[in-house]
Amino acid sequence: MNKHTTAHNIWQVILASSAGTLIEWYDFYIFGSLSAIIAEKFFPPSNPDLAYIMTLATFAVGFVVRPFGAIVFGRLGDIVGRKYTFLLTLLIMGGSTFAIGLVPGYASIGVLAPIIVLLLRLLQGLALGGEYGGAATYVAEHSAHDKRGYYTSFIQTTATLGLFVSLAVILITRSSMTTEQFSDWGWRVPFWLSILLVLMSYYIRIRLQESPEFAQLKAEGKTAKNPIKESFGKKENLKVVLLALFGAAMGQGVIWYTGQFYALSFLQKTMNIEFVQSNIIIAVALVLGTPFFIYFGRLSDKIGRKKIMMTGMLIAALAYYPIYARMDQIGNLSLKTELKAKYTIENTMSRNSKMQNVEKTVRTRVYDDETKAREVVMNTDGKEEKKIEVVVGMSGLIQLVLLVWVQVLFVTMVYGPIAAFLVELFPARIRYTSMSLPYHLGNGVFGGLLPTVATILVTETHNHLAGLVYPIGVAVICFVIGVVFIKDSMISKE
């Protein structure tokens, strides 16, 4: 244990850092979790497929700018300090998320709606770019080397837990009102709630002290005067930054988003799994998988970070195709036998908030494995919209949970140890800046673009599984670079 940090204090540090980071991930991911609804609200309704792709692209923009946030806030963190930097990122993130919940839809303000949302996503991405490196560095600098993997793994759980919390809040909000109410205004509630969570986290963080390692550097006058130049202007350090990106972070990024976000997108858009059931599948898999972040973080203290991460990348690359092929089969109605006697049709008439007449027709087909397919036809003043919702039976539901859970295990193998791995690659005086950039390039660019790139590949090829070419290819390249070029001698034992 760091000589300045008691066993009691380290858990205070972990709690405060993790709570804030969890809330920032929650803020970031409610946008992705609600992407199907956001596509309807903020983009022109004339081309639903294009609207969804544009929504994913807007979502991806938040990832793409994260490296710029890493540079801006990383520099600030290496000069001013870890604590105040991630207090600032927390407030920027929370304010931007709350504001998204206030933006009027496309029907009200036209093209201004997607432009405003895009700008707020840029702010979110910049803030998150500075958050993770600060939290990971802060915890690591309170930890002894032989426990860094274990202690920093609690930070690693926050991304997945943030996604889980976002799904839970969305499901609770959805279940507390009608489908029409949720579609009309209820989807905004998760965005509004973020401001309360951020204020709570700010209160917890403001009471923290600066990390002892950075405080000592500052007292001795050894902090970096120009951390950006030292991180990327010196050939020897730039080489380590590039190896961290192409030999670890980019593979970790695509595996993270494949196992969680692409899985959710595949369930909802490709398999047409009903909104609530698809989110439940992801949420249960996340709960079952989250403890393994701690397990692999702790294991990395004993056998090394690199071995676990490279193994996770290789297994994921080999397993993705058969996993998604099986998922596709579970939702394929043409492979099931319809029970004709259970076919039903329901018709309802109502008025929406704009006082338009809405006729809703629901045709339900039941299959031999208890799967139900609901064709919902909404006729609003003569304008017809069709939507198919599939609710899989218990056997299919269990299989889907297990298949997503296996993907989450791959995530825990590559993500659990990576904070300690990156921290130990760089000296303390430029650590915040140096580790943040490759992490956010790997996650923000390679990982964040995955849903958009995969959706485009599927749309262009009309092949449900074509999107997997991207994560498999990136993971294999990263595995080869990591195994060949990253040496154990590069890892600091300080």
Side-chain angles (χ1 to χ4, degrees):
M1 183 73 64
N2 190 299
K3 64 181 180 180
H4 298 284
T5 309
T6 66
H8 174 69
N9 287 340
I10 187 64
W11 290 109
Q12 287 183 327
V13 167
I14 291 170
L15 174 63
S17 300
S18 299
T21 308
L22 184 151
I23 290 167
E24 290 215 29
W25 283 114
Y26 163 84
D27 285 354
F28 202 73
Y29 286 131
I30 50 178
F31 190 98
S33 301
L34 291 168
S35 58
I37 291 177
I38 288 172
E40 298 173 1
K41 299 299 177 183
F42 292 124
F43 291 89
S46 55
N47 189 334
D49 288 339
L50 179 60
Y52 186 66
I53 289 175
M54 291 301 294
T55 301
L56 292 179
T58 304
F59 182 59
V61 162
F63 292 96
V64 173
V65 299
R66 278 166 55 180
F68 297 99
I71 293 174
V72 171
F73 293 109
R75 177 181 180 276
L76 191 64
D78 280 329
I79 294 175
V80 178
R82 292 35 169 143
K83 172 188 171 180
Y84 291 104
T85 302
F86 65 31
L87 280 174
L88 180 60
T89 61
L90 180 69
L91 293 178
I92 294 173
M93 174 66 81
S96 302
T97 304
F98 180 73
I100 289 176
L102 300 177
V103 178
Y106 185 88
S108 300
I109 61 173
V111 72
L112 280 177
I115 291 174
I116 293 172
V117 170
L118 177 63
L119 292 174
L120 292 171
R121 283 294 295 171
L122 287 170
L123 285 175
Q124 283 188 319
L126 288 170
L128 192 57
E131 164 64 22
Y132 174 83
T137 300
Y138 190 75
V139 172
E141 289 180 350
H142 281 83
S143 310
H145 178 269
D146 61 355
K147 291 187 177 179
R148 271 185 185 159
Y150 175 56
Y151 288 138
T152 57
S153 66
F154 287 90
I155 296 292
Q156 303 308 89
T157 67
T158 59
T160 294
L161 287 174
L163 176 55
F164 172 77
V165 172
S166 75
L167 296 177
V169 170
I170 289 167
L171 289 172
I172 291 170
T173 305
R174 172 73 178 266
S175 63
S176 66
M177 58 185 67
T178 66
T179 302
E180 289 76 16
Q181 288 174 325
F182 184 80
S183 178
D184 187 27
W185 61 269
W187 62 272
R188 296 180 181 271
V189 173
F191 289 95
W192 297 339
L193 288 176
S194 69
I195 198 68
L196 299 176
L197 299 175
V198 167
L199 291 175
M200 290 169 54
S201 180
Y202 182 83
Y203 175 75
I204 294 173
R205 282 190 171 186
I206 195 68
R207 302 165 70 187
L208 294 175
Q209 301 298 315
E210 186 54 82
S211 86
E213 195 168 344
F214 181 82
Q216 183 176 348
L217 283 175
K218 199 165 187 177
E220 296 173 354
K222 295 181 179 178
T223 56
K225 297 296 185 291
N226 190 339
I228 295 176
K229 183 178 180 180
E230 286 191 43
S231 294
F232 315 121
K234 293 185 176 181
K235 184 177 179 181
E236 60 272 19
N237 198 75
L238 179 60
K239 176 184 175 182
V240 179
V241 169
L242 293 175
L243 285 177
L245 170 60
F246 295 110
M250 77 172 184
Q252 174 262 304
V254 297
I255 290 170
W256 204 100
Y257 292 104
T258 301
Q260 297 172 117
F261 263 104
Y262 186 64
L264 179 61
S265 176
F266 191 84
L267 288 168
Q268 292 183 344
K269 303 300 290 186
T270 301
M271 298 174 62
N272 295 313
I273 302 297
E274 186 268 335
F275 180 87
V276 172
Q277 189 177 60
S278 61
N279 280 281
I280 287 174
I281 290 168
I282 298 293
V284 173
L286 293 179
V287 170
L288 294 176
T290 296
F292 288 89
F293 286 106
I294 310 298
Y295 172 77
F296 286 116
R298 192 164 205 163
L299 185 63
S300 76
D301 287 326
K302 299 177 181 178
I303 68 173
R305 332 285 187 205
K306 176 183 166 181
K307 291 178 184 176
I308 298 171
M309 293 164 58
M310 295 301 115
T311 301
M313 287 183 203
L314 180 60
I315 296 175
L318 295 173
Y320 278 148
Y321 188 87
I323 285 175
Y324 277 87
R326 179 56 191 154
M327 289 173 67
D328 199 32
Q329 288 177 347
I330 292 171
N332 191 338
L333 300 179
S334 66
L335 300 177
K336 306 176 189 297
T337 302
E338 182 183 348
L339 305 178
K340 302 286 187 181
K342 295 189 176 183
Y343 176 79
T344 59
I345 300 179
E346 300 175 34
N347 285 292
T348 58
M349 291 289 296
S350 63
R351 286 197 169 192
N352 61 19
S353 61
K354 299 177 182 178
M355 300 306 292
Q356 295 173 310
N357 293 319
V358 180
E359 180 182 2
K360 181 178 180 181
T361 303
V362 180
R363 298 181 178 90
T364 303
R365 292 176 170 83
V366 181
Y367 296 85
D368 55 343
D369 65 348
E370 299 180 339
T371 293
K372 294 181 180 179
R374 301 170 70 242
E375 182 188 68
V376 181
V377 180
M378 302 288 289
N379 191 310
T380 306
D381 283 353
K383 183 181 178 181
E384 188 174 273
E385 293 182 18
K386 290 184 179 180
K387 184 178 181 181
I388 295 178
E389 297 178 342
V390 176
V391 179
V392 297
M394 184 56 66
S395 173
L397 179 63
I398 292 172
Q399 290 183 65
L400 288 173
V401 168
L402 290 175
L403 289 168
V404 176
W405 173 70
V406 170
Q407 295 178 64
V408 176
L409 285 185
F410 302 153
V411 174
T412 64
M413 292 182 72
V414 298
Y415 196 56
I418 201 168
F421 174 81
L422 292 174
V423 163
E424 291 167 354
L425 283 177
F426 304 103
R429 58 185 279 113
I430 55 171
R431 179 174 288 152
Y432 199 147
T433 304
S434 295
M435 74 163 286
S436 293
L437 185 66
Y439 174 82
H440 287 295
L441 281 172
N443 284 264
V445 177
F446 290 96
L449 289 177
L450 188 148
T452 306
V453 172
T455 300
I456 291 172
L457 288 173
V458 170
T459 302
E460 292 297 320
T461 62
H462 304 289
N463 181 341
H464 289 174
L465 304 178
L468 295 172
V469 170
Y470 178 74
I472 291 173
V474 173
V476 168
I477 293 170
C478 189
F479 169 79
V480 172
I481 294 174
V483 168
V484 174
F485 294 105
I486 296 180
K487 308 298 183 184
D488 291 336
S489 59
M490 296 168 59
I491 309 299
S492 168
K493 302 300 180 185
E494 296 178 3

